[in-house]
Amino acid sequence: PSMYWQLYDYYMIPVPAYYGVKKGNNPQQLIYNYGDNGIYAVNETLSESNNIKAIISGYSLDSKLLYTKEVSFSIGSNEAKKIFDVDNSNKNTFLKLILLDGQNKPIADNFYVLSSTQDIHNWDKTTWVGTPMKEYSDFKDLANIASSELKINVTHTEKAGTLSIEIENPTTNFAFFTEFLLKDNNGEIIYPVYWEDNYISFLPGEKRTLQCSFGADMIQSSATTLQVNGWNLKEQVISLK
């Protein structure tokens, strides 16, 4: 119970940690290990997976591709294994991980912002509450990344109570940490609303369709706009009526 507040707020609106935990609980995925800079494939299902593929791509903060690697492999049930070592010598990098099945269909994806300087814990002052920090990773340069923009097209399926949101990043820059919210006439967040994913970073040129579900009558009764915000985006407010 003590973890609930970290995943959603008093009004039961999910916070960014909720979507991070959701990704972290995918039964098959790719994970970056901060301890050894390795990419690990994880299979927590009861079946072996053969002929699957990882696409591992690193980008600079100015959205330039630094490296990309495709790794084909098989993995047993309830197994985790290292498949790649990341060069983390640059001060900051974006890391995009995509896991594909044998038919090149997406299984899972993951996204990281890395710092070459590591968090340093003050282990001598550990208490039952936690461990204080001596030094933090350096992400200050994120404040200076170039602006981006997204093209948004929304389709409302009234009977099913869903929104289908087509998103495209037409620029050469990352659209970093993008948040999607449904709001009413007073600018208040509508809930409960169930997003397939949220707080997403989009690669240059990336296209994606995002699903959102809610009560079938919500658009008529309360939700009137889709608000799109991002770290390096100008806010968009899109009418749903």
Side-chain angles (χ1 to χ4, degrees):
S2 62
M3 287 188 64
Y4 284 179
W5 67 271
Q6 299 178 19
L7 302 182
Y8 50 84
D9 66 15
Y10 179 83
Y11 300 98
M12 295 195 295
I13 299 171
V15 298
Y18 169 86
Y19 298 97
V21 170
K22 184 178 178 182
K23 277 191 179 296
N25 280 286
N26 282 333
Q28 291 183 299
Q29 58 181 307
L30 300 172
I31 296 175
Y32 174 76
N33 185 332
Y34 289 89
D36 65 4
N37 296 322
I39 302 299
Y40 285 75
V42 177
N43 178 19
E44 294 184 331
T45 72
L46 300 180
S47 301
E48 181 179 357
S49 292
N50 298 306
N51 302 316
I52 56 179
K53 181 167 62 177
I55 302 177
I56 302 162
S57 302
Y59 295 82
S60 64
L61 289 193
D62 57 358
S63 302
K64 300 296 189 295
L65 180 65
L66 300 175
Y67 60 85
T68 188
K69 178 71 173 180
E70 293 187 7
V71 181
S72 296
F73 62 97
S74 296
I75 187 169
S77 65
N78 287 316
E79 183 182 3
K81 64 180 182 180
K82 183 191 284 190
I83 61 170
F84 187 74
D85 288 297
V86 171
D87 178 3
N88 193 26
S89 58
N90 289 317
K91 182 179 178 182
N92 295 115
T93 50
F94 294 123
L95 177 64
K96 178 72 174 184
L97 308 176
I98 302 173
L99 184 63
L100 305 173
D101 66 14
Q103 288 72 48
N104 284 326
K105 294 181 180 178
I107 299 174
D109 65 88
N110 224 330
F111 183 85
Y112 295 85
V113 186
L114 305 182
S115 169
S116 59
T117 58
Q118 298 296 310
D119 291 335
I120 300 177
H121 296 79
N122 191 347
W123 297 111
D124 293 337
K125 295 187 177 181
T126 297
T127 69
W128 70 273
V129 176
T131 301
M133 303 297 297
K134 289 183 178 179
E135 297 180 21
Y136 291 92
S137 301
D138 186 356
F139 293 100
K140 292 190 292 292
D141 287 352
L142 282 172
N144 302 317
I145 62 175
S147 61
S148 186
E149 64 179 86
L150 293 174
K151 291 183 178 179
I152 308 289
N153 182 53
V154 181
T155 302
H156 174 222
T157 306
E158 180 178 343
K159 183 177 180 180
T162 63
L163 292 177
S164 181
I165 303 169
E166 296 175 355
I167 307 147
E168 178 184 359
N169 178 2
T171 76
T172 58
N173 299 318
F174 268 94
F176 179 53
F177 207 63
T178 306
E179 176 190 40
F180 297 87
L181 294 171
L182 291 185
K183 291 195 170 184
D184 62 18
N185 283 324
N186 298 317
E188 297 293 332
I189 299 172
I190 299 299
Y191 60 91
V193 170
Y194 305 99
W195 292 94
E196 175 188 4
D197 199 0
N198 213 327
Y199 302 94
I200 308 165
S201 294
F202 294 90
L203 297 171
E206 182 176 359
K207 297 180 181 179
R208 179 171 176 176
T209 300
L210 186 66
Q211 302 295 326
C212 172
S213 61
F214 44 82
D217 61 346
M218 186 173 288
I219 294 295
Q220 286 73 22
S221 62
S222 54
T224 58
T225 59
L226 168 67
Q227 180 177 301
V228 182
N229 304 291
W231 182 275
N232 58 333
L233 296 175
K234 182 179 179 180
E235 181 180 284
Q236 291 189 61
V237 178
I238 300 164
S239 175
L240 300 179
K241 292 188 175 181

